[in-house]
Amino acid sequence: MRDGGRDRRERREDVRLRGFSTRASLAEATAWVDAHAAALGAEAVEVDAAAGRVLRAALHAPADLPATDRAGEDGHAVRSRDTVGAGAYHPLPLALQAPGAPVGPVTAARVVAGAPLPPGADAVVPFGAAHEDGASLEVVVAIAEGAGVERRGQDLRAGAALLEAGRVLRAEDAALLACLGVPHVDVVRRPRVRLVIAGAKRGPTAPAPPDAAAPLLAALVARDGGAVAELVAGDDRSALAAAMAAPGVDAVLVAGRTGTGPDDVAPLALGDAGDLALHGVALRPGGSAGLGRVGGVPVLLLPGDPLAGLCVYELLGGRLIRRLGGRAARLPHATCDVEVGRKIVSAVGVVDLCRVRLVGGRVEPIGSVEHGGLASVARADGFVLVPAPLEGIAPGARVTVHLYGAAPAELATGGAP
Amino acid sequence: MRDGGRDRRERREDVRLRGFSTRASLAEATAWVDAHAAALGAEAVEVDAAAGRVLRAALHAPADLPATDRAGEDGHAVRSRDTVGAGAYHPLPLALQAPGAPVGPVTAARVVAGAPLPPGADAVVPFGAAHEDGASLEVVVAIAEGAGVERRGQDLRAGAALLEAGRVLRAEDAALLACLGVPHVDVVRRPRVRLVIAGAKRGPTAPAPPDAAAPLLAALVARDGGAVAELVAGDDRSALAAAMAAPGVDAVLVAGRTGTGPDDVAPLALGDAGDLALHGVALRPGGSAGLGRVGGVPVLLLPGDPLAGLCVYELLGGRLIRRLGGRAARLPHATCDVEVGRKIVSAVGVVDLCRVRLVGGRVEPIGSVEHGGLASVARADGFVLVPAPLEGIAPGARVTVHLYGAAPAELATGGAP
């Protein structure tokens, strides 16, 4: 047997009743995700529905904007030279034409903002700078050439680079495309996710706990631009293998049955259905995560414990969904760099995801890394990732906090996501 | 006539063909919004749908979490004193009980993470620290009391403060509520918005331009926690008044017909249907904005020009929707404080919303404040608000940039939204 084969078999060992003899580093697990999750293909969506989607290819302006020389404000179109010398004490009379009619010497025609500039005119006198008096317009301000006028192509030239590939389209971009008469746009297809609730493992006397994975993961997948297309439950090895192997989705997230208990069969089921690439990641909480593929579709195994499952989703699952959807792979949280106020205790050899609070502009850990459950997340302003080589971070050091929700007011002058 | 009446009438003057003789300050317009938009009532939603919604009243924990003493990891439940002296070269044998059975002296019972701790046990030996040998468990590590055990109420005590009123519920909060067995939660009702497209005013020869307001405003209203419940069109005075007065929504946004042209009848229609509180705001772009109420429902008039309409939405409309929905009134954009690299030119007496780019870590304005349309927004990283008293901001000064979308990589170490 080749070494590669042996190494791979070791990663797939059955850890039940034995524990993990080795774990992949978080960097290895991240690299696996990056190697097996490329951006999906394109689909056309109407511009009304394009905000928040990822542009598949660069767009160039299909037309000039404005499409014609036009009035930039409401008023009267004039020839600017006819207003030279006008003033409050020296009104100049111009002959009023019909609205939109060509403007010749010493004439004026009403025009509204956005309407084409009448032929012959080179400026617009706003209504406040003149008043109509029968068939005459009394102009009381001298107007410079081009004032109140928007020239064809002034905002955007036909053919100019408009939006780069991979841009997350803003509402304003969609509106700009509407202004340009673009009816639909090619965006990266939204990743379809099957969420498999493997069910909490439990002792013979325990009631089934409420399922927290479905509300948690559905909302986070949506945050990352994907959609939970199917939610299925299954708690034995063959049911889980079948749920992983069913076609029709771009990724499978399995919540639960990843640990060392006798009914922790999710890794075995992934090996049955396809390829279990790794099981066990040097991450706390979340050390029992697994990764693999079935028929080319990536499958992530998340611990059933809600906090551990959350950590694995944040560090591996979100990245998977974002990459499939053509988005930036990095964590989507806003961040801030803050000084540590109370020592963050960590373990050497694993990445610790430490929930923290911001107190007086400094960072304090909430409880210990492995304990506190989702209640520690609810109390937290964000989290700090402690790199594997460190056994902690001392007070006074600066750390990057990934923020849950908006930053507290004390950081209101802080930076950007 | 009382002075108050005269003052009010002046704010409601017909500006068509005359121009604005006065405009409200942005601070006055903001204060009007704050005075006329209080948080809506509550509705119950299932916790699966609670992420992103605003909690109506403070929540306290309805139960202990965990609900019982339980195993924190997979392994064997033991009495810690029975493991004293155990080591790799000195395994200690314990008699194996059935899984979940009470643990007496010198016995052990399998347990999985999350299952209740068997009576008598005070610690869990992980599977990697012992091995089963027939009816016996050989323990090779001394375990401290409480190791691998989660105590009832350790994460959260019944009755403890859990989530404060007004919190925007995170996915993690919804999952925590699911863990606690909470089926639904009272949140602030989502503001229902009627979007009235008043239609572009136009000269006699111009084709109707594509409508950019609907995609723009629908996406921004959703960003601010509201929903466009109705999209209607109407372009004459009576149709607009009827659209403003129809019941069934919490706010009305009218796009277009706010300026000084002859068919700019939106302010008149608002006066017909209810009360036009102010028309004209000292804001660029967006000076023709209007505010008022019909039957207690706030109505915002937005200029039909897409850029001006966007600015008015950001500074007044978004605030209105956020306040109705119980959210923080301030702008929702992430911000960063950056040095000005090229002079920002502004006008005294109005707030200028200046689109800017970040170049080499410094701020540069894009074109002039009033020009560039939505194309200037697409090219921008964000915007700077120049206060009314300033005629510009010189290079070297620091300004707060409100960021569109995510911050450019050069600011990746920046702060928080």
Side-chain angles (χ1 to χ4, degrees):
Chain A
M1 182 180 285
R2 289 171 302 138
D3 284 344
R6 199 180 60 183
D7 179 64
R8 174 168 155 188
R9 196 185 52 182
E10 284 174 0
R11 285 286 172 76
R12 298 176 56 167
E13 67 185 345
D14 187 351
V15 300
R16 292 179 303 160
L17 306 186
R18 276 184 277 179
F20 290 88
S21 61
T22 179
R23 285 185 167 92
S25 69
L26 180 60
E28 288 175 286
T30 303
W32 189 94
V33 168
D34 289 354
H36 295 92
L40 300 170
E43 66 178 349
V45 295
E46 296 190 3
V47 293
D48 285 26
R53 302 298 299 270
V54 178
L55 194 60
R56 193 72 173 90
L59 281 185
H60 292 76
D64 286 336
L65 200 67
T68 60
D69 292 350
R70 69 184 183 190
E73 56 191 314
D74 302 323
H76 292 88
V78 299
R79 304 192 317 162
S80 56
R81 76 197 81 159
D82 292 342
T83 70
V84 174
Y89 298 101
H90 187 237
L92 288 181
L94 302 178
L96 264 178
Q97 310 290 98
V103 170
V106 204
T107 66
R110 270 194 211 160
V111 71
V112 293
L117 194 68
D122 66 5
V124 174
V125 183
F127 286 128
H131 52 267
E132 295 186 10
D133 183 7
S136 176
L137 181 74
E138 307 272 301
V139 179
V140 296
V141 175
I143 299 293
E145 183 179 342
V149 170
E150 294 173 348
R151 293 293 174 192
R152 174 177 179 165
Q154 138 182 333
D155 294 355
L156 198 58
R157 286 268 173 214
L162 184 58
L163 298 169
E164 70 278 17
R167 180 176 176 109
V168 179
L169 292 169
R170 308 171 186 162
E172 297 88 345
D173 297 336
L176 174 59
L177 294 172
C179 287
L180 286 161
V182 174
H184 43 70
V185 62
D186 279 354
V187 297
V188 179
R189 195 160 59 67
R190 196 187 292 282
R192 293 164 303 181
V193 176
R194 180 179 302 119
L195 180 53
V196 182
I197 304 298
K201 56 189 181 180
R202 52 189 187 272
T205 62
D211 173 45
L216 180 65
L217 295 175
L220 293 177
V221 165
R223 176 199 71 185
D224 291 317
V228 171
E230 298 174 28
L231 177 65
V232 299
D235 62 4
D236 69 23
R237 183 168 168 171
S238 62
L240 287 175
M244 293 174 193
V249 294
D250 304 303
V252 179
L253 303 182
V254 182
R257 310 268 172 149
T258 61
T260 58
D263 56 358
D264 279 322
V265 294
L268 300 169
L270 178 48
D272 295 343
D275 179 42
L276 174 66
L278 61 89
H279 180 213
V281 176
L283 167 68
R284 290 197 319 173
S288 67
L291 280 165
R293 292 202 296 173
V294 178
V297 173
V299 178
L300 173 63
L301 308 182
L302 304 109
D305 173 76
L307 176 61
L310 169 64
C311 294
V312 170
Y313 180 84
E314 288 294 21
L315 294 182
L316 296 172
R319 189 176 183 96
L320 173 63
I321 305 304
R322 291 189 296 273
R323 286 189 61 94
L324 288 170
R327 292 168 198 267
R330 65 171 182 273
L331 286 167
H333 306 77
T335 62
C336 61
D337 286 354
V338 189
E339 186 176 300
V340 173
R342 195 154 54 77
K343 183 179 181 183
I344 297 174
V345 178
S346 176
V348 173
V350 302
V351 172
D352 277 345
L353 191 153
C354 179
R355 281 81 61 211
V356 299
R357 227 178 340 214
L358 294 162
V359 180
R362 306 210 301 170
V363 164
E364 291 189 357
I366 293 178
S368 70
V369 165
E370 292 198 289
H371 295 121
L374 289 179
S376 70
V377 178
R379 286 199 296 269
D381 293 311
F383 61 87
V384 169
L385 294 172
V386 184
L390 301 188
E391 64 175 9
I393 303 178
R398 291 189 79 82
V399 291
T400 297
V401 179
H402 298 269
L403 294 160
Y404 294 122
E410 58 182 299
L411 291 179
T413 58
Chain B
M1 181 178 286
R2 290 172 301 140
D3 284 343
R6 200 179 60 182
D7 179 63
R8 175 169 153 185
R9 197 184 51 182
E10 283 174 358
R11 285 289 171 76
R12 297 176 57 167
E13 67 185 346
D14 186 351
V15 301
R16 293 180 303 159
L17 307 185
R18 277 184 274 178
F20 290 88
S21 62
T22 179
R23 284 187 168 92
S25 69
L26 180 60
E28 288 174 286
T30 302
W32 189 94
V33 169
D34 289 353
H36 295 92
L40 300 170
E43 66 179 348
V45 295
E46 296 191 2
V47 293
D48 285 27
R53 302 297 299 271
V54 177
L55 194 60
R56 193 70 173 89
L59 281 185
H60 292 77
D64 286 335
L65 199 67
T68 61
D69 292 349
R70 69 184 182 190
E73 56 193 314
D74 302 323
H76 292 88
V78 299
R79 305 192 317 164
S80 56
R81 76 197 82 158
D82 292 341
T83 69
V84 173
Y89 297 101
H90 187 238
L92 287 181
L94 303 178
L96 264 177
Q97 311 290 96
V103 170
V106 204
T107 66
R110 270 192 211 161
V111 72
V112 292
L117 194 68
D122 66 6
V124 173
V125 183
F127 285 128
H131 53 268
E132 296 186 10
D133 183 9
S136 175
L137 181 75
E138 308 272 300
V139 179
V140 297
V141 174
I143 300 293
E145 182 180 343
V149 170
E150 295 174 349
R151 293 293 174 193
R152 174 177 179 166
Q154 137 182 337
D155 294 355
L156 198 59
R157 286 268 173 213
L162 185 57
L163 299 168
E164 70 278 19
R167 179 175 177 111
V168 179
L169 292 170
R170 308 170 186 163
E172 297 88 344
D173 297 336
L176 173 59
L177 293 172
C179 286
L180 286 162
V182 174
H184 43 71
V185 62
D186 279 354
V187 297
V188 179
R189 196 159 58 68
R190 196 188 291 283
R192 293 164 302 179
V193 176
R194 179 178 303 118
L195 180 53
V196 182
I197 304 298
K201 56 189 181 181
R202 51 188 188 271
T205 62
D211 173 45
L216 180 66
L217 295 176
L220 293 177
V221 165
R223 177 200 71 185
D224 291 317
V228 172
E230 297 174 28
L231 177 64
V232 299
D235 63 4
D236 70 24
R237 184 167 168 170
S238 61
L240 288 175
M244 293 173 192
V249 295
D250 305 302
V252 179
L253 303 182
V254 182
R257 310 269 173 148
T258 60
T260 57
D263 55 359
D264 280 323
V265 293
L268 300 169
L270 178 47
D272 295 343
D275 178 44
L276 173 65
L278 61 90
H279 180 213
V281 176
L283 167 68
R284 291 198 317 174
S288 67
L291 280 165
R293 292 201 297 173
V294 179
V297 173
V299 178
L300 173 63
L301 308 182
L302 303 110
D305 174 76
L307 175 62
L310 169 64
C311 294
V312 170
Y313 181 83
E314 288 294 22
L315 294 182
L316 296 172
R319 189 178 183 94
L320 172 63
I321 305 304
R322 290 189 296 275
R323 286 188 62 93
L324 289 170
R327 294 170 198 268
R330 65 171 181 273
L331 286 167
H333 306 77
T335 62
C336 61
D337 285 355
V338 190
E339 187 176 300
V340 173
R342 195 153 56 78
K343 183 178 180 182
I344 297 173
V345 178
S346 176
V348 173
V350 301
V351 173
D352 277 345
L353 190 152
C354 179
R355 281 82 60 212
V356 299
R357 226 176 343 213
L358 293 162
V359 180
R362 306 210 300 171
V363 165
E364 292 188 357
I366 293 178
S368 70
V369 164
E370 291 198 289
H371 296 122
L374 289 179
S376 70
V377 178
R379 285 198 297 270
D381 294 312
F383 61 87
V384 169
L385 294 173
V386 184
L390 301 188
E391 64 175 8
I393 303 178
R398 292 190 78 81
V399 291
T400 297
V401 179
H402 298 269
L403 294 160
Y404 294 122
E410 59 183 298
L411 290 179
T413 57

